[in-house]
């Protein structure tokens, strides 16, 4: 079966890629390097997940049969009391909603375990494909290094390296602390001490995972269990330095979207908040925003403010809104993320709220406060986002797609086409019934509103794709041979972590040695008429952040 390297259907865009192929050799090199990684199934994890599926257990947040989610008990007066009926229906509708959301995940985990079963005794490779922004994805949709936690835990590299190289066990231990999540925002020594004090406990999880189940409390339970299994195998060699580790160890960038905006602006405030600047302890932009929200709530005297303070505002509540800001977050989405978080904690019995049945009212109250707090902390990003939206509207007003080229040496041509849709009603006969369907298709007119909404996430994604591609090439030159990559999360075996870390930082600096925003503006100006050139907004003024400091920042990507 034939697949295009770039997943796109527009023939003119595909022709453009073909004609400019010689300009983007590093993109092809990066994809080919990733495709050389050979994988196998992680059998201990396969056996654990298989047993959990057979018993329909939700241990480790594994999806279970949605039909087992019980409906609320009907009140005894449901047939005579209208209010009781309304309340029961409201509660039941939430259960039906949960069942619908859980169904696809329930099917997915069974498909993934079946794929793993077919690959148990063989090795395999992943073919990769780019989207129109240059982001790289494995073509298989289920069992993959970019899948859910249990999917990633099911696979590991076929070939590894000896633990004796470059303080590998320290990097391995830090990764374990990150997967568990309890001390992942502390300094490096605290993380190392935390792991070393609990080695026997973690080994016991691997020996009897269905008996010693506290591994399931981890942020990423199955990946953490896979880490425990690797630790157990290492311990059984009496920590022999020649032990060959094959487990992918991930290093995650610290809110990569805001890192890109801060680097573009050379913004020292944003750079400090997103760990572009070296420090002894990682900065946590989510916690900073949460503290702002708490201060604003304390200045208020109304009962709802007290209810929220009693409930507790923390980094986890603010994380999703802050994380999504670089990707054109709206206040509507911000409110929904807050409500989803509160409902999730309530459902999992981690924290119950006292907002009553009308959670919408409570989250609607908090949303503008969170929104204002985010804007207080993240100033530079908002300026760039405003600039990108204004420019993209100008281009769309001329009925042109927004096109730009990723930084050198990648030179990948991005073409963002947001056409207006038209809907057609089609009548067809099925048996004795007439079925009416609505079919949407693209028109020839560019949608200005959708273009403005899409430019920020697509522009940032094209940049993190550039950093990833360049980092892969540089890491290969340094001797890294196996890669597990998820856009802004970089994985390799523990002995290669320091090499990959160097490559990531060098790639980031090389991308932003160029004036990315000015280059984008120049490409946009070349597309515009004289009339719209007069309306072209000023490029936001850059600060004085020294980006070379990224190379010394431990917490930039760890």
């Amino acid at each position: 079966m034939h697949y295009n390297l770039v997943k796109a259907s527009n023939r003119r865009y595909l022709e453009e890629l073909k004609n400019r192929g010689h300009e983007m050799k590093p993109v092809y090199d990066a994809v080919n390097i990733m495709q050389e990684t050979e994988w196998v199934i992680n059998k201990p994890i396969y056996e654990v997940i298989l047993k959990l599926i057979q018993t329909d257990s939700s241990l480790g947040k594994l999806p279970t049969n949605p039909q087992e989610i019980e409906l609320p008990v009907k009140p005894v007066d449901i047939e005579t009391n209208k209010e009781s009926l309304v309340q029961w229906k409201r509660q039941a509708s939430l259960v039906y909603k949960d069942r619908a959301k859980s169904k696809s995940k329930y099917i997915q985990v069974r498909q993934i375990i079946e794929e793993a079963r077919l690959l148990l005794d063989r090795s395999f490779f992943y073919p990769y494909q780019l989207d129109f922004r240059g982001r790289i994805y494995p073509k298989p949709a289920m069992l993959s290094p970019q899948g859910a936690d249990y999917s990633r835990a099911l696979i590991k590299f076929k070939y590894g390296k000896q633990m004796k190289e470059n303080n590998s066990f320290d990097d391995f231990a830090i990764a374990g602390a990150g997967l568990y999540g309890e001390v992942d925002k502390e300094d490096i020594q605290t993380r190392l001490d935390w792991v070393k004090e609990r080695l026997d406990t973690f080994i016991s999880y691997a020996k009897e995972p269905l008996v010693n189940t506290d591994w399931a409390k981890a942020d990423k339970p199955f990946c953490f269990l896979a880490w425990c299994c690797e630790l157990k195998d290492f311990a059984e060699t009496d920590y022999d330095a020649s032990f060959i580790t094959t487990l992918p160890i991930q290093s995650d960038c610290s809110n990569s979207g805001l890192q890109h905006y801060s680097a573009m602006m050379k913004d020292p405030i944003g750079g400090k908040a997103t760990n572009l600047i070296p420090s002894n302890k990682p900065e946590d932009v989510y916690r900073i925003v949460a503290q702002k929200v708490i201060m604003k709530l304390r200045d208020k005297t109304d009962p709802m403010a007290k209810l929220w303070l009693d409930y507790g505002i923390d980094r986890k509540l603010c994380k999703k809104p802050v994380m999504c800001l670089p990707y054109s977050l709206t206040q509507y989405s911000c409110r929904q993320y807050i409500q989803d978080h509160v409902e999730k904690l309530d459902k999992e019995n981690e924290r119950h709220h006292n907002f009553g049945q009308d959670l919408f009212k409570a989250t609607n109250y908090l949303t503008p406060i969170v929104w204002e707090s985010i804007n207080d902390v993240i100033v530079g990003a908002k300026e760039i986002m405003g600039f990108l939206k204004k420019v993209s509207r100008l281009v769309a007003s001329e009925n042109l797609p927004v096109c730009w080229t990723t930084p050198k040496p990648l030179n990948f041509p991005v073409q963002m086409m947001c056409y207006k849709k038209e809907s057609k009603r089609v009548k067809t006969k099925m048996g004795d019934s007439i079925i009416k369907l609505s079919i949407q298709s693209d028109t020839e007119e560019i949608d200005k509103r959708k273009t403005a909404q899409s430019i920020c996430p697509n522009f940032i994604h094209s940049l993190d794709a550039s950093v990833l591609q360049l980092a892969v090439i540089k890491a290969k030159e340094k001797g890294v041979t196996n890669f597990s990559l998820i856009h802004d999360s970089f994985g390799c075996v523990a002995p290669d972590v320091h090499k990959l870390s160097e490559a990531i930082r060098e790639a980031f600096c090389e991308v932003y040695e160029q004036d990315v925003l000015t280059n984008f503006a120049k490409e946009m100006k070349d597309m515009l008429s004289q009339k719209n050139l007069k309306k072209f907004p000023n490029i936001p003024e850059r600060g004085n952040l020294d980006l070379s400091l990224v190379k010394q920042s431990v917490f930039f990507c760890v």
Side-chain angles (χ1 to χ4, degrees):
M1 187 175 286
H2 168 77
Y3 293 105
N4 291 323
L5 175 64
V6 180
K7 187 179 180 180
S9 57
N10 186 287
R11 290 189 177 183
R12 283 176 291 183
Y13 177 48
L14 291 171
E15 190 66 27
E16 168 101 355
L17 289 167
K18 184 179 178 181
N19 292 337
R20 294 178 61 179
H22 62 284
E23 297 176 8
M24 51 179 185
K25 183 179 179 296
V27 176
Y28 294 114
D29 290 343
V31 174
N32 285 330
I33 290 168
M34 289 173 64
Q35 290 181 152
E36 289 172 358
T37 298
E38 195 166 356
W39 300 81
V40 292
I41 298 299
N42 193 337
K43 291 183 180 179
I45 303 301
Y46 169 82
E47 289 167 4
V48 170
I49 294 177
L50 185 62
K51 287 175 183 174
L52 293 176
I53 286 175
Q54 288 168 347
T55 56
D56 202 34
S57 170
S58 62
L59 192 66
K61 302 171 189 173
L62 200 68
T64 55
N65 187 347
Q67 296 307 313
E68 297 297 319
I69 303 174
E70 294 183 2
L71 288 167
V73 178
K74 289 184 179 181
V76 290
D77 60 346
I78 192 168
E79 293 183 5
T80 56
N81 188 328
K82 188 176 179 182
E83 188 177 337
S84 292
L85 175 63
V86 169
Q87 284 195 355
W88 182 85
K89 281 187 172 181
R90 186 178 291 143
Q91 293 169 358
S93 70
L94 294 174
V95 173
Y96 287 125
K97 184 180 175 183
D98 276 351
R99 285 180 177 180
K101 284 168 65 177
S102 302
K103 186 176 181 181
S104 61
K105 292 179 181 177
Y106 176 70
I107 294 169
Q108 183 186 65
V109 71
R110 278 150 179 76
Q111 289 179 319
I112 286 172
I113 203 71
E114 176 60 18
E115 284 185 23
R117 184 188 68 79
L118 295 171
L119 295 167
L120 264 179
D121 297 314
R122 64 182 74 177
S123 61
F124 51 94
F125 299 85
Y126 282 101
Y128 286 89
Q129 190 175 39
L130 281 66
D131 67 8
F132 72 96
R133 304 162 300 188
R135 271 197 155 190
I136 303 176
Y137 298 85
K139 189 60 188 167
M142 294 293 173
L143 179 67
S144 88
Q146 292 184 9
D149 168 60
Y150 53 83
S151 176
R152 297 197 302 275
L154 274 167
I155 55 176
K156 61 179 183 177
F157 302 133
K158 181 177 181 179
Y159 300 107
K161 291 189 177 179
Q162 292 183 353
M163 272 286 199
K164 66 182 180 183
E165 298 178 25
N166 308 306
N167 299 317
S168 301
F169 185 75
D170 284 358
D171 290 322
F172 180 79
I174 291 164
L179 290 169
Y180 193 86
E182 187 174 312
V183 292
D184 59 324
K185 298 304 172 189
E186 301 298 330
D187 61 80
I188 293 298
Q189 191 58 50
T190 300
R191 300 184 205 189
L192 284 171
D193 293 343
W194 183 85
V195 170
K196 289 175 181 178
E197 288 166 8
R198 293 164 175 79
L199 288 178
D200 290 341
T201 302
F202 297 153
I203 291 167
S204 75
Y205 296 161
K207 286 181 176 177
E208 293 185 289
L210 299 177
V211 177
N212 300 320
T213 59
D214 279 354
W215 57 267
K217 295 177 182 177
D219 284 354
K220 296 171 183 173
F222 288 101
C223 284
F224 178 68
L225 181 59
W227 178 89
C228 291
C229 291
E230 193 81 351
L231 173 65
K232 177 184 77 74
D233 291 345
F234 186 31
E236 286 174 352
T237 67
D238 198 22
Y239 298 102
D240 186 344
S242 64
F243 172 78
I244 295 176
T245 177
T246 56
L247 188 74
I249 295 298
Q250 299 292 139
S251 299
D252 296 336
C253 287
S254 176
N255 199 316
S256 66
L258 292 177
Q259 284 181 333
H260 286 291
Y261 281 125
S262 299
M264 262 185 276
M265 284 283 286
K266 290 196 172 180
D267 173 17
I269 297 171
K272 185 176 187 301
T274 57
N275 296 299
L276 298 186
I277 297 172
S279 63
N280 294 326
K281 192 174 179 180
E283 294 289 341
D284 186 356
V285 69
Y286 311 127
R287 186 175 288 125
I288 295 169
V289 170
Q291 289 167 350
K292 288 269 186 187
V293 174
I294 291 169
M295 289 169 60
K296 292 178 191 296
L297 287 172
R298 284 175 178 166
D299 289 339
K300 297 180 180 293
T301 56
D302 51 285
M304 188 61 79
K306 186 177 185 309
L307 278 174
W308 273 112
L309 286 169
D310 290 343
Y311 177 76
I313 304 295
D314 58 17
R315 67 181 300 279
K316 289 188 176 180
L317 185 139
C318 297
K319 183 175 181 179
K320 192 75 180 283
V322 175
M323 188 188 297
C324 294
L325 178 80
Y327 310 112
S328 292
L329 176 78
T330 62
Q331 282 205 52
Y332 175 84
S333 299
C334 182
R335 191 209 66 79
Q336 190 60 55
Y337 291 146
I338 294 169
Q339 180 166 328
D340 289 346
H341 178 74
V342 173
E343 287 177 341
K344 178 174 178 285
L345 293 187
D346 192 63
K347 182 181 175 183
E348 295 174 356
N349 294 317
E350 288 188 34
R351 192 193 311 173
H352 296 291
H353 63 81
N354 294 315
F355 302 119
Q357 295 292 327
D358 197 357
L359 191 53
F360 177 88
K361 182 180 177 181
T363 54
N364 201 44
Y365 172 88
L366 188 66
T367 297
I369 300 170
V370 173
W371 187 263
E372 186 182 336
S373 301
I374 293 172
N375 290 331
D376 287 348
V377 175
I378 304 161
V379 180
K382 295 292 288 184
E383 284 187 50
I384 298 178
M385 290 169 69
F387 170 78
L388 292 172
K389 288 177 180 179
K390 287 176 186 175
V391 171
S392 63
R393 276 188 178 275
L394 290 176
V395 175
S397 70
E398 300 200 13
N399 206 39
L400 293 171
V402 181
C403 304
W404 68 93
T405 307
T406 59
K408 295 177 181 177
L410 289 315
N411 299 315
F412 181 81
V414 180
Q415 193 173 102
M416 192 180 82
M417 294 170 284
C418 302
Y419 290 108
K420 286 186 175 180
K421 303 283 186 182
E422 64 178 3
S423 185
K424 292 181 180 178
R425 295 278 285 174
V426 177
K427 289 197 296 186
T428 185
K429 193 170 183 181
M430 186 175 290
D432 294 328
S433 303
I434 299 295
I435 306 295
K436 294 181 180 180
L437 303 171
S438 290
I439 298 176
Q440 284 197 330
S441 57
D442 288 339
T443 65
E444 293 295 318
E445 186 180 355
I446 297 287
D447 188 327
K448 288 186 284 188
R449 184 184 64 83
K450 191 176 178 183
T451 298
Q453 286 178 336
S454 303
I455 183 62
C456 295
N458 288 331
F459 189 59
I460 291 299
H461 286 157
S462 74
L463 291 169
D464 69 32
S466 300
V467 171
L468 181 143
Q469 292 161 10
L470 198 53
V472 166
I473 294 166
K474 289 179 178 293
K476 176 74 172 180
E477 291 169 354
K478 294 175 186 291
V480 182
T481 50
N482 292 314
F483 296 90
S484 173
L485 303 165
I486 319 171
H487 312 314
D488 61 353
S489 178
F490 302 79
C492 61
V493 289
D496 282 340
V497 165
H498 76 291
K499 296 177 186 174
L500 184 54
S501 294
E502 285 179 4
I504 297 163
R505 287 156 176 77
E506 288 171 9
F508 190 86
C509 290
E510 186 170 333
V511 164
Y512 287 107
E513 281 170 2
Q514 306 159 62
D515 191 339
V516 170
L517 211 53
T518 298
N519 292 343
F520 173 81
K522 184 178 183 304
E523 288 190 275
M524 296 305 105
K525 286 178 179 179
D526 290 342
M527 300 169 68
L528 293 174
S529 62
Q530 287 300 316
K531 177 185 173 182
N532 278 327
L533 279 174
K534 293 175 184 177
K535 301 177 186 177
F536 203 89
N538 293 326
I539 299 173
E541 189 174 341
R542 297 207 294 174
N544 58 2
L545 174 65
D546 180 4
L547 279 177
S548 67
L549 292 172
V550 169
K551 294 178 182 178
Q552 303 163 36
S553 175
V554 173
F555 299 108
F556 165 74
C557 185
V558 64

